[in-house]
Amino acid sequence: MTSDAVSDATSLNFHRSENAVDIPHHKALCFAASFAKGQLMRFKSKPFRKRWDRLRGKAPGWFLKGAKGVIHIGANNGAEWREYAEHGLNVLWVEPIPEVFAALEKNISGAKNQTAVKGLVSDISGKVVTLNISSNDGQSSSVLNLDKHAEIWPEVSYVDAIELVAETLPEIVARSGRSMDEFDILVMDTQGSELAILQGAGDLSPFRYIHTEAADFELYAGYPRLAQIDAFLSLAGFKEAHRWRFAQGPSGKCYDVTFRNHGK
């Protein structure tokens, strides 16, 4: 570009309006830093990362092909409802937090063959448990206390707690008015109670696939490790078919793991 062209460009781009307002340099920097932090937190959030990686072909939704139905425990607001609808699946959503459950019902209201039941699933029927409610719209809520969770999500804390009476998986399916025969996929996203849900579920043989979140470190206090879930499901005839890492911190990694029933 010639010096004349540079001069012309300067005269075109830097004429100031009479109404122009100077923004102090330090305020502009603060705004930019705040915006960047917000975008980083959004990208680090689990739902965003999962949606982003699914678009990039990395998230393991393959196990839904040919399925007849899904039980999704730890539904939150039902972010996956469109994906389930695209596969024409029967879906039973389970969510324990009243305010989040209301959002879930609204989100799936137009979805065919998708119903929701409010409740908490565990290993012992009638057990009174305390559910800690997290600051990120309930996404990290757990019956366990936070441990190394802050290594990956330092912005998340507990802001409330509610007491609930636990049910086993067969009990909550029966209460919903649905039948276990409608479902061959089990999805769990319950922040540490996945192993307890499996232990209280009884016969797991109707499921072709079990898809769960798991970690190899103590994300929450007393958090069952991936190896423990793998050992339990191995005895039930399931073998790991796919593992997808969606987060990593100094102490370990967090995964979505899919187990396949070798009897089906």
Side-chain angles (χ1 to χ4, degrees), residues 6-208:
V6 172
S7 176
D8 289 342
T10 302
S11 64
L12 286 171
N13 292 328
F14 291 95
H15 282 308
R16 289 173 54 81
S17 166
E18 293 180 359
N19 298 320
V21 177
D22 286 323
I23 300 175
H25 184 65
H26 71 280
K27 288 188 176 181
L29 289 176
C30 288
F31 174 80
S34 177
F35 178 80
K37 181 180 179 181
Q39 294 303 305
L40 177 61
M41 291 300 100
R42 181 169 177 259
F43 183 77
K44 284 177 66 178
S45 71
K46 186 166 54 181
F48 182 85
R49 287 291 306 278
K50 286 186 176 181
R51 287 194 294 271
W52 173 252
D53 283 337
R54 183 173 286 114
L55 289 172
R56 296 169 64 202
K58 292 179 67 176
W62 55 270
F63 59 89
L64 298 174
K65 296 178 181 178
K68 59 182 179 179
V70 176
I71 299 174
H72 190 129
I73 306 175
N76 200 258
N77 63 8
E80 299 86 354
W81 77 266
R82 287 186 179 86
E83 185 173 9
Y84 293 157
E86 288 171 0
H87 286 85
L89 301 175
N90 293 308
V91 185
L92 176 61
W93 301 91
V94 183
E95 170 58 42
I97 304 171
E99 296 80 6
V100 178
F101 181 78
L104 168 66
E105 284 196 306
K106 182 178 179 180
N107 288 342
I108 68 168
S109 59
K112 185 179 179 181
N113 298 325
Q114 296 195 28
T115 57
V117 58
K118 183 169 59 179
L120 185 140
V121 185
S122 191
D123 55 341
I124 301 174
S125 174
K127 178 173 64 174
V128 178
V129 297
T130 298
L131 178 65
N132 301 299
I133 311 300
S134 66
S135 58
N136 55 345
D137 297 323
Q139 295 172 25
S140 298
S141 300
S142 176
V143 298
L144 305 174
N145 291 323
L146 295 170
D147 194 340
K148 295 182 174 62
H149 193 277
E151 291 183 356
I152 304 176
W153 298 284
E155 71 280 7
V156 174
S157 61
Y158 286 153
V159 294
D160 200 359
I162 56 176
E163 284 196 346
L164 298 166
V165 178
E167 300 171 83
T168 63
L169 178 57
E171 287 175 335
I172 208 160
V173 172
R175 181 163 66 83
S176 73
R178 308 292 290 267
S179 168
M180 290 290 290
D181 296 336
E182 299 177 52
F183 310 103
D184 54 358
I185 304 284
L186 175 62
V187 175
M188 297 181 293
D189 184 0
T190 58
Q191 312 305 310
S193 57
E194 290 85 357
L195 183 57
I197 291 169
L198 294 172
Q199 291 169 336
D203 183 17
L204 295 172
S205 63
F207 295 113
R208 293 172 57 232

Side-chain angles (χ1 to χ4, degrees), residues 216-232:
D216 57 12
F217 68 106
E218 198 146 325
L219 197 62
Y220 297 82
Y223 188 87
R225 308 295 202 282
L226 172 56
Q228 294 172 268
I229 295 174
D230 181 86
F232 181 87

